[in-house]
Amino acid sequence: MVFGNAGGTSGSGVGFTRDPASGENRLYLDFLFDAQGEDVVSGRREASDDGRLSRVLPEMGRQLQNLAELLEREFGDTQEFEFTVQDGVMFLLQTRTPNVRRGPPCASQWNRSRPG
């Protein structure tokens, strides 16, 4: 078992390898410190993409950026993923292609930023 509510260097989050609203090629995170995944997805507590995770745990921010790049290469598409951090160690719980409609601006932005 992994516990995101194990203290100040623990938490849970949902990440997107691209901004879900604009399609911009940047890591987007909803993360809560000292919380379980249910706290994030249920809306009981407000999670945000304010960069706090990277400020408090800079190495975790770098690991998540590397993970986002790896997931897009592996799956060939934008990914939504759930993760838990326990005592400063990240655990990837699941990943999936988000169920979103890509309109022409987002789709063309995706195609321009893909390597090859």
Side-chain angles (χ1 to χ4, degrees):
M1 286 292 259
V2 178
F3 296 96
N5 58 353
T9 59
S10 301
S12 294
V14 174
F16 292 84
T17 58
R18 294 178 183 262
D19 186 304
S22 69
E24 178 185 352
N25 188 6
R26 73 171 189 90
L27 179 62
Y28 180 94
L29 300 173
D30 280 337
F31 183 81
L32 289 171
F33 279 97
D34 200 23
Q36 291 289 93
E38 183 63 24
D39 298 324
V40 177
V41 298
S42 72
R44 279 184 279 200
R45 291 174 50 195
E46 187 173 336
S48 68
D49 183 42
D50 66 1
R52 183 172 172 228
L53 174 61
S54 293
R55 286 193 304 278
V56 174
L57 299 171
E59 179 58 27
M60 189 59 50
R62 287 187 286 278
Q63 288 180 24
L64 283 163
Q65 184 61 52
N66 291 339
L67 174 66
E69 293 166 8
L70 173 72
L71 289 173
E72 279 204 4
R73 273 195 316 271
E74 184 67 27
F75 292 99
D77 203 349
T78 302
Q79 292 293 296
E80 174 185 1
F81 58 95
E82 295 180 23
F83 64 100
T84 294
V85 177
Q86 180 175 329
D87 298 322
V89 177
M90 178 182 56
F91 297 86
L92 178 63
L93 305 176
Q94 67 176 342
T95 187
R96 63 187 159 273
T97 302
N99 188 16
V100 296
R101 288 179 47 210
R102 275 194 216 122
C106 183
S108 64
Q109 189 167 10
W110 164 257
N111 289 331
R112 281 196 308 271
S113 65
R114 289 186 69 188

